[in-house]
Amino acid sequence: MLFNALIVVVTVIGMELFSIFAHKYVMHGFGWGWHKSHHEPRTGWFEKNDLYAVFFAGIAIALIYAGTRGHHPLEWIGAGMTAYGLLYFIAHDGLVHQRWPFKYVPRRGYLKRLYQAHRMHHAVQGKEGTVSFGFLYAPPVDRLKRQLHVLHQGRPQRRAAAATTLPDEPPAA
């Protein structure tokens, strides 16, 4: 049982590492066709980018099914992927993008850093020259500001105020 729990935890960590790579090189690369909707104003409950969640949920379901049919420990890898998907939904879709029916903007601690890092990711128009590709890991905000400065020789081109999908940054606490 402890070994299975370890597999779930390692899978969650591995999914964040995989997600950073996939977000940077797939979603902001050849997969931009789906992901672009995430960088534009949302017009309904869903966006084309949500197809990535459906795709990975399908893989997790297939792994859980295979594991319960004797291909151990695939069910625990699928469970770890599912746990990561839940954390992603809470932190990214809910906290950062406010896709919940209520609003909460963190004012301190790691959640504020995560919120600010993802806002910096969306500060750049288009798929090039952006920073912070993690969904649960957020590099220090000062480092991201330096990266944006280097990438854009100063301030990045900001999106028009009407086009933002994120609420205003919380006041300093």
Side-chain angles (χ1 to χ4, degrees):
M1 181 150 133
L2 187 59
F3 182 68
N4 296 338
L6 181 63
I7 290 171
V8 171
V9 170
V10 168
T11 301
V12 169
I13 294 166
M15 283 300 299
E16 177 64 3
L17 296 173
F18 171 79
S19 293
I20 291 169
F21 177 86
H23 189 190
K24 186 171 185 174
Y25 298 108
V26 175
M27 294 176 186
H28 280 255
F30 66 86
W32 181 249
W34 283 6
H35 190 62
K36 181 180 179 184
S37 67
H38 183 65
H39 287 264
E40 296 173 338
R42 190 173 46 258
T43 57
W45 279 92
F46 298 102
E47 54 192 41
K48 199 171 190 180
N49 182 67
D50 294 333
L51 292 172
Y52 283 112
V54 172
F55 176 77
F56 288 112
I59 292 173
I61 291 166
L63 288 171
I64 292 169
Y65 179 80
T68 60
R69 298 293 181 259
H71 299 286
H72 304 292
L74 294 181
E75 71 270 30
W76 300 109
I77 295 170
M81 289 178 70
T82 302
Y84 180 82
L86 177 63
L87 292 170
Y88 169 91
F89 174 73
I90 292 168
H92 180 263
D93 286 349
L95 177 70
V96 176
H97 287 287
Q98 306 288 313
R99 290 176 77 174
W100 293 338
F102 62 90
K103 307 291 183 215
Y104 171 73
V105 178
R107 306 232 182 265
R108 67 175 86 70
Y110 187 77
L111 292 180
K112 179 180 178 182
R113 182 169 132 182
L114 182 66
Y115 180 86
Q116 289 176 323
H118 203 72
R119 283 187 53 84
M120 285 187 203
H121 176 78
H122 283 270
V124 176
Q125 197 169 15
K127 68 178 185 175
E128 303 293 333
T130 192
V131 296
S132 188
F133 293 93
F135 296 114
L136 301 178
Y137 169 73
V141 172
D142 290 341
R143 181 179 353 150
L144 295 174
K145 286 179 182 179
R146 286 192 303 274
Q147 286 176 343
L148 280 172
H149 184 79
V150 168
L151 286 169
H152 299 279
Q153 292 80 41
R155 291 184 59 116
Q157 179 185 359
R158 300 225 15 121
R159 301 190 314 156
T164 186
T165 58
L166 295 172
D168 291 330
E169 189 168 333

